[in-house]
Amino acid sequence: MEKLMFIETGMGIDVHGQNITTAAIRAVKNAIHFNSMPGIRSVLPDNSLDNMRVHVKLAVPCDKEKLDTDAVKEVLPYGKVTVEIMDGGMLTTSGIVLEEKGDKNDLMYIVVASVEVGY
């Protein structure tokens, strides 16, 4: 990315089911949910959203090999999206195992996201 313009951060949790992709998608949605960039086109090359670059950093506690990065990319409506996965996040107890929710154990998966926007 030549010019970094915005950084949005968020957190996502999968309380039941132990699905790292669910937690990652929620983290990215949390990062972008309260933001609007109405002037972004005016600063992008050729005033085109096609020239926007979005780099997503995900701090995940486990199951990196199960993370569906294509599903994460689909959350972002514009730009050429890349995803970087690193160690981080948290595993903690939900306090209960709910088999009907797909639980294999009592763990909650917590993912932290940083969404960088520029060109």
Side-chain angles (χ1 to χ4, degrees), residues 9-57:
T9 60
M11 179 186 70
I13 305 170
D14 186 24
V15 178
H16 297 289
Q18 295 77 45
N19 187 312
I20 201 66
T21 300
T22 298
I25 287 170
R26 289 175 177 163
V28 171
K29 285 182 177 181
N30 180 249
I32 67 172
H33 185 76
F34 300 104
N35 296 290
S36 177
M37 297 181 286
I40 189 77
R41 283 185 192 175
S42 67
V43 296
L44 291 173
D46 300 323
N47 296 325
S48 173
L49 291 175
D50 292 334
N51 292 319
M52 184 168 69
R53 302 290 181 265
V54 180
H55 184 66
V56 177
K57 294 179 182 177

Side-chain angles (χ1 to χ4, degrees), residues 54-74:
V54 180
H55 184 66
V56 177
K57 294 179 182 177
L58 298 171
V60 301
C62 63
D63 294 345
K64 289 185 193 121
E65 70 285 352
K66 294 180 181 177
L67 182 57
D68 183 348
T69 55
D70 288 334
V72 172
K73 288 178 182 181
E74 288 177 17

